[in-house]
């Protein structure tokens, strides 16, 4: 199979390229090449998707399948479809569960209401003021894919993606924190947690391209109580840890934020998004998505954390000083 990965130099795109190369496929990664190197064995073609004609360097090449991981740009998706959509047998678009409009109510499946589509290009820094932007752009991008390639489309609404090369620090905060041992602040909550290791997601996406799997799926592992997951991470890390439950109201009073960002407890969801991590993984699992054991997920995340440096400034979580302040206030 000849595979075009639109991206391929970081996290999901790079993992897909690496998996496809491992299986013996001919892989081309079309990217600026600024985020990192492509996987060994893949070929990088430098493109600038911000440019109206940015895909010209791969124009005329023929591919059996395309994987597009465009994060926050409808124009990128539309230009790629115009360039290749009419002559590619299988098209994967990596979307997001952030596309759903009502994360505060129990989900029923991929037919749940979506955010109003927005056909624009955003930037990560825009999301603080406009948190629905990411999901709304994904909805518009999904619509474009379905309009252009129809029943050749494989749309993956990914949940929390974790593992090697994760740039967001959310899942990784927990094994890194558990590795220090001692009293660990956790939210006293009944919310669920879901995740998928990037290596398992990449394997599933490659499987789908090989086998012609199409449709719309929530690309995520089974849901479980967040506190069970945190207990499992502590057990796998193997340090002497005491999980100290902090009431959600107290955390809010102390200025601790949910989910991500500075001074946060990652994976803790506010009431407005209580069911964001309660999606039904069964349809994806039935098509071959195979989540690895927690011990392997934790090992991969912790190795990545140690590579980056456990004492670095993080994208998400509490610093040791902040955690001590919370513990003292409980």
């Amino acid at each position: 199979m000849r595979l075009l990965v639109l991206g391929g130099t970081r996290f999901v795109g790079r993992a897909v390229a690496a998996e496809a190369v491992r299986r013996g496929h001919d892989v081309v990664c079309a990217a600026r090449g600024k985020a990192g190197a492509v996987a060994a064995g893949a070929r990088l073609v430098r493109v600038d998707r911000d440019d109206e004609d940015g895909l010209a360097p791969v124009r005329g090449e023929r591919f059996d399948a395309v994987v597009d991981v465009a994060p926050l740009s409808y124009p990128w998706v539309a230009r790629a479809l115009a360039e290749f959509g009419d002559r590619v047998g299988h098209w994967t678009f990596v979307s997001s569960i952030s596309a759903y409009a009502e994360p505060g109510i129990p989900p029923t499946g991929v037919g749940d209401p979506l955010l109003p589509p927005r056909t624009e290009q955003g930037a990560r820094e825009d999301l603080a003021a406009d948190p629905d932007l990411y999901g709304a752009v994904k909805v518009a991008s999904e619509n474009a894919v379905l309009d252009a390639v129809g029943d050749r489309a494989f749309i993956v609404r990914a949940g929390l993606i974790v593992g090697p090369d994760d740039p967001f620090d959310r899942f990784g905060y927990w094994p890194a924190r558990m590795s220090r041992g001692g009293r660990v602040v956790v939210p006293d909550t009944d919310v669920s947690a879901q995740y998928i290791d990037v290596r398992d997601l990449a394997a599933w996406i490659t499987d789908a391209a090989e086998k012609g799997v199409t449709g719309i799926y929530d690309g995520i592992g089974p849901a479980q109580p967040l506190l069970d997951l945190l207990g499992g991470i502590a057990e796998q890390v193997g340090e002497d840890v005491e999980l100290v439950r902090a009431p959600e109201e107290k955390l809010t009073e102390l200025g601790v934020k949910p989910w991500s960002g500075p001074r946060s407890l990652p994976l803790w969801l506010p009431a407005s998004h209580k069911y964001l991590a309660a999606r039904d993984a069964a349809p994806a699992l039935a098509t071959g998505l195979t989540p690895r054991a927690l011990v392997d997920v934790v090992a991969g995340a912790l190795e990545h954390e140690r590579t980056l440096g456990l004492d670095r400034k993080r994208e998400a979580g509490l610093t040791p000083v902040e955690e001590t302040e919370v513990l003292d206030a409980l």
Side-chain angles (χ1 to χ4, degrees):
M1 177 175 67
R2 194 149 196 266
L3 176 66
L4 174 64
V5 179
L6 293 165
T9 58
R10 62 181 297 183
F11 205 28
V12 177
R14 192 173 193 279
V16 170
E19 178 64 19
V21 167
R22 187 186 69 78
R23 299 187 190 191
H25 298 303
D26 179 9
V27 180
V28 174
C29 297
R32 286 175 293 189
K34 295 180 179 180
V38 298
R43 176 166 67 94
L44 172 65
V45 176
R46 296 184 185 276
V47 303
D48 184 354
R49 297 181 74 181
D50 287 336
D51 188 329
E52 288 277 355
D53 201 33
L55 292 172
V58 285
R59 182 170 296 144
E61 295 201 40
R62 299 200 66 84
F63 300 98
D64 300 300
V66 168
V67 175
D68 191 356
V69 296
L72 194 52
S73 177
Y74 170 83
W76 285 14
V77 174
R79 289 170 194 149
L81 289 163
E83 195 72 50
F84 298 107
D86 62 347
R87 61 183 190 275
V88 170
H90 190 270
W91 193 287
T92 297
F93 177 65
V94 180
S95 186
S96 171
I97 58 171
S98 295
Y100 292 111
E102 300 173 341
I105 65 175
T108 63
V110 296
D112 288 343
L114 303 176
L115 291 166
R118 292 170 60 175
T119 57
E120 59 200 82
Q121 179 166 331
R124 190 177 173 194
E125 52 267 27
D126 298 332
L127 299 179
D130 192 0
D132 284 344
L133 174 62
Y134 181 76
V137 170
K138 288 291 192 183
V139 173
S141 300
E142 286 187 17
N143 291 344
V145 171
L146 292 171
D147 288 344
V149 301
D151 60 6
R152 290 175 285 137
F154 180 56
I155 292 178
V156 177
R157 291 180 185 148
L160 178 69
I161 307 170
V162 308
D165 297 330
D166 179 3
F168 301 114
D169 287 348
R170 289 172 297 203
F171 185 94
Y173 169 80
W174 292 108
R177 174 60 193 90
M178 304 301 185
S179 71
R180 299 204 320 266
R183 304 178 73 220
V184 179
V185 173
V186 299
D188 191 1
T189 180
D190 63 352
V191 300
S192 297
Q194 285 179 293
Y195 62 87
I196 188 67
D197 191 286
V198 68
R199 296 164 290 184
D200 302 330
L201 183 64
W204 183 49
I205 288 171
T206 307
D207 283 345
E210 290 175 340
K211 300 173 183 177
V213 177
T214 58
I216 303 172
Y217 298 88
D218 290 329
I220 194 64
Q224 62 184 300
L226 174 57
L227 289 173
D228 287 357
L229 173 60
L230 298 183
I233 293 173
E235 181 179 347
Q236 296 303 330
V237 171
E239 297 296 332
D240 186 10
V241 164
E242 178 191 355
L243 302 184
V244 181
R245 296 189 184 191
E248 294 176 284
E249 316 81 61
K250 187 65 174 180
L251 290 171
T252 300
E253 177 188 318
L254 295 171
V256 179
K257 296 184 295 185
W259 187 246
S260 66
R263 198 177 175 86
S264 69
L265 283 181
L267 313 191
W268 166 42
L269 290 165
S272 61
H273 288 68
K274 181 174 182 178
Y275 294 98
L276 181 69
R279 306 298 309 178
D280 182 8
L285 300 178
T287 67
L289 177 60
T290 307
R292 66 190 57 215
L294 181 60
V295 60
D296 292 333
V297 178
V298 170
L302 190 52
E303 180 181 2
H304 179 55
E305 288 288 326
R306 286 172 171 154
T307 298
L308 295 177
L310 295 178
D311 296 328
R312 74 187 188 281
K313 184 178 179 181
R314 302 185 53 86
E315 294 288 325
L318 298 175
T319 67
V321 171
E322 290 168 345
E323 185 176 41
T324 297
E325 291 173 354
V326 174
L327 286 168
D328 289 344
L330 291 177

